Amino acid sequence: MDEAPPAQLLSHRTVSGAETEPTGWVFFLHGFLGAGRNWASVARGMVRSRSDWGAVLVDLRLHGLSEGFRRPHTVANCGRDVSALVRAMDPARHVILGHSFGGKVALSSARISPAGLRQVWAIDSTPAPGRTAAGASDILALLRRLPRQFRDRRAAVHRLQEGGFDRTVAEWMATNLTRTPDGYGWRFSITDMEELLADYFRDDEWPVVEAPPPGLELIFIRAGRDSILDDRSASRLARMQRSDRRVRLVTLPGGHWLNMDNPKGLLDLLRTGLPRM
């Protein structure tokens, strides 16, 4: 059985309108090897169009500034971490939005989330167990082969590109570097990340999709190309949508990284889809 999560809270920051006090909060959960800041632009756009909602940009355990969390590193414990943060902030109503890995965490958190959870948005994410085509395993395998230290960020980007990743991915990965006495090193433990990713591949969130908590709406946004939500899972969600108004499946043009590929499409969905008072 998984251990209870530590008492410490996830690192996070809030975004809200300058003149309007939010009546609810959207908790943004990033993908594997990302950080809350990856969703800052979408969060700011959401707040501009829906000032009744504020945004909480969360760093999941082992990511960003959320360091020092105890094992086991599992999706379930990630979900417990998020629920603990929600309880600490104690919003009257809230929504959890997760991208890719963060979508599974959002679904896991929904099992135990405090009262007031209205929606879960899973952005190009799958509830199913099994490996995905997102490439996280390939990145970790490459990091195992690379030096532990780099003289500067450019050197790390160069080695990641030599390993087969394009410049955009390499520069994004370099945001995970932190200064050390000998240059720059990864802010996370590769071993811990491998443990977390292995559990992600094992984790099955179909039970919460098939029987959501009362009053909860589940919204799955599938990327039009390079989606990790495969055809079989998408068909299953489409069948559920026809029989249960609490489950929605929307396909949005763009690739897996919809926050970069199609932020306007996402913002339009959030503007119209977030609950009203």
Side-chain angles (χ1 to χ4, degrees):
M1 179 176 292
D2 290 337
E3 297 176 6
Q8 72 188 93
L9 291 180
L10 296 168
S11 177
H12 62 282
R13 68 183 181 94
T14 60
V15 180
S16 59
E19 300 178 358
T20 305
E21 183 69 21
T23 59
W25 293 91
V26 179
F27 290 76
F28 284 82
L29 312 183
H30 56 81
F32 193 73
L33 296 174
R37 63 178 175 270
N38 299 154
W39 283 81
S41 178
V42 172
R44 288 192 296 267
M46 181 201 77
V47 167
R48 283 194 296 269
S49 64
R50 288 295 304 272
S51 59
D52 52 328
W53 287 91
V56 185
L57 300 173
V58 180
D59 289 348
L60 297 172
R61 64 164 57 204
L62 308 182
H63 294 77
L65 299 180
S66 290
E67 301 171 342
F69 283 73
R70 294 181 301 155
R71 287 188 171 93
H73 299 307
T74 62
V75 171
N77 272 347
C78 287
R80 293 187 181 103
D81 298 337
V82 172
S83 294
L85 176 60
V86 173
R87 288 189 176 91
M89 293 186 63
D90 194 26
R93 57 180 187 151
H94 65 286
V95 166
I96 306 177
L97 179 152
H99 172 241
S100 195
F101 173 86
K104 239 185 197 182
V105 174
L107 292 169
S108 180
S109 182
R111 299 171 183 258
I112 54 172
S113 187
L117 178 60
R118 303 285 298 276
Q119 294 175 335
V120 166
W121 292 62
I123 310 299
D124 207 55
S125 182
T126 178
R131 301 177 72 86
T132 71
S137 296
D138 295 336
I139 292 176
L140 291 180
L142 175 59
L143 297 188
R144 279 286 186 195
R145 300 194 299 270
L146 294 181
R148 294 189 177 186
Q149 297 289 324
F150 303 92
R151 67 177 183 276
D152 54 34
R153 294 180 187 275
R154 286 183 298 177
V157 169
H158 177 68
R159 294 300 298 271
L160 287 163
Q161 287 183 276
E162 281 188 335
F165 292 94
D166 64 32
R167 187 170 186 84
T168 298
V169 172
E171 290 179 343
W172 166 69
M173 272 301 300
T175 64
N176 286 300
L177 291 168
T178 187
R179 188 179 289 277
T180 70
D182 300 318
Y184 286 85
W186 303 112
R187 66 171 67 249
F188 50 75
S189 158
I190 297 174
T191 298
D192 287 349
M193 285 297 190
E194 289 170 337
E195 178 184 341
L196 185 56
L197 186 63
D199 186 75
Y200 167 78
F201 290 146
R202 289 190 297 265
D203 185 73
D204 184 357
E205 295 299 331
W206 278 115
V208 74
V209 178
E210 293 172 338
L216 178 63
E217 183 182 13
L218 304 178
I219 303 168
F220 288 84
I221 310 300
R222 189 189 193 198
R225 67 173 191 277
D226 303 326
S227 177
I228 69 169
L229 183 63
D230 62 23
D231 291 343
R232 182 176 179 181
S233 292
S235 296
R236 186 172 174 180
L237 288 169
R239 289 194 300 271
M240 294 174 66
Q241 179 176 228
R242 289 192 289 271
S243 61
D244 189 341
R245 296 181 63 182
R246 295 178 299 170
V247 177
R248 291 175 56 199
L249 174 64
V250 179
T251 299
L252 198 61
H256 175 64
W257 303 95
L258 284 167
N259 54 318
M260 295 186 291
D261 273 10
N262 194 353
K264 182 182 182 302
L266 275 177
L267 286 170
D268 286 344
L269 290 173
L270 287 167
R271 177 176 51 81
T272 59
L274 286 174
R276 303 280 178 179
M277 284 294 291

